[in-house]
Amino acid sequence: MSPPTASLVEWTHTLCERDMPIFSKTAQSVYQTMEDENKGASELAAVVLQDPALTAKLLKISNSPFYNPSRQKLGTVTRAIVILGINCIRELTLACSFFESVLPQQNKQYASEEIAKAIHSAMQAKSLATVARDPSPEEVFVATLLHSIGDIAFWCFCGEEGQRISALIYSGHSAEAAQRQVLGFTLEELSRSLSQTWHLSGLIEEALNKPDAPRSRLVKLGHTIAEAIQQ
């Protein structure tokens, strides 16, 4: 693997330390809690409760008819975990963490599209994993959800570079060619760099670096199906 370019290192540092401190902390804390077999519902609830905005969004979705058809009032994260189950809450927590930052109006469309695509892909991949009797469909969900974290992070906080990439794509360039021409790297490479910086291991790392591995194919297929449905 070739060494990262200076611009890739700079973008990774900016997104981790300057523009996205809350998102970085939440994503990393949630994933580390999920990885630790000795931690359960109470530890996960403690992580969620560190962020009031995330807590509010989680409870809002937990009370929706889709996730809570019995319409039991869920007023606390702990109660939501008891009713919905820890695996469901883990998925919702990571999905909600995408919305922590206020999207600038200039790039809101692109960022919102990437977020929606990530969640849709994750749901498709989890369904495939369940049918394929994968040992952990929830892990496949998380890996698929965070697979395009570089795209989401970039479009949340890009400025002039985003406009230039959009113009090149509109003029007929492929997304990858436009990204490399403007940034010197692709957003897929940014995803790998952010993953390494946040120490996101397991299937997330495998899907980003070994896309042809058996379980990584579930992640890739989830994105492929979501893109096909979108078109």
Side-chain angles (χ1 to χ4, degrees):
M1 183 181 299
S2 58
T5 63
S7 55
L8 176 57
V9 174
E10 292 168 359
W11 265 97
T12 301
H13 175 77
T14 298
L15 293 174
C16 288
E17 302 296 335
R18 299 175 187 172
D19 290 326
M20 300 181 67
I22 298 176
F23 178 83
S24 301
K25 180 180 179 181
T26 301
Q28 189 170 3
S29 297
V30 169
Y31 190 75
Q32 288 177 343
T33 302
M34 290 173 58
E35 286 280 276
D36 192 336
E37 296 180 355
N38 296 319
K39 293 184 178 180
S42 59
E43 288 82 4
L44 179 59
V47 172
V48 175
L49 291 171
Q50 291 176 9
D51 187 328
L54 178 58
T55 299
K57 292 166 188 171
L58 176 61
L59 289 176
K60 180 179 180 180
I61 295 180
S62 297
N63 280 289
S64 67
F66 180 81
Y67 283 101
N68 186 14
S70 64
R71 298 186 181 276
Q72 298 185 50
K73 184 63 177 178
L74 305 180
T76 67
V77 174
T78 302
R79 177 66 174 164
I81 292 174
V82 171
I83 298 299
L84 302 181
I86 191 170
N87 289 330
C88 182
I89 293 299
R90 282 191 290 213
E91 295 170 7
L92 286 176
T93 301
L94 283 169
C96 288
S97 69
F98 280 131
F99 297 96
E100 285 185 65
S101 303
V102 178
L103 303 180
Q105 191 63 38
Q106 183 179 10
N107 306 317
K108 189 172 183 179
Q109 178 182 353
Y110 281 99
S112 297
E113 288 176 355
E114 291 296 335
I115 291 169
K117 188 189 304 181
I119 295 175
H120 186 193
S121 300
M123 294 177 67
Q124 293 290 345
K126 182 188 176 185
S127 297
L128 290 170
T130 301
V131 172
R133 297 185 179 181
D134 184 88
S136 179
E138 288 76 22
E139 185 182 13
V140 174
F141 178 96
V142 173
T144 309
L145 186 69
L146 299 182
H147 188 264
S148 299
I149 188 61
D151 300 66
I152 295 170
F154 174 79
W155 288 112
C156 280
F157 297 101
C158 66
E160 180 185 350
E161 293 93 339
Q163 297 178 25
R164 290 166 59 192
I165 290 175
S166 299
L168 286 172
I169 294 175
Y170 184 77
S171 66
H173 289 70
S174 69
E176 182 176 337
Q179 293 161 14
R180 196 170 293 282
Q181 180 173 328
V182 174
L183 301 172
F185 57 88
T186 66
L187 297 185
E188 183 178 350
E189 292 172 324
L190 181 59
S191 291
R192 287 198 292 268
S193 182
L194 287 172
S195 176
Q196 292 172 0
T197 301
W198 290 342
H199 306 292
L200 302 180
S201 56
L203 185 57
I204 295 178
E205 181 183 24
E206 181 178 292
L208 285 168
N209 295 291
K210 299 178 180 178
D212 293 326
R215 298 186 75 209
S216 297
R217 293 173 185 165
L218 292 171
V219 174
K220 184 177 181 180
L221 190 54
H223 282 279
T224 301
I225 292 175
E227 291 175 2
I229 292 176
Q230 182 180 13
Q231 295 177 5

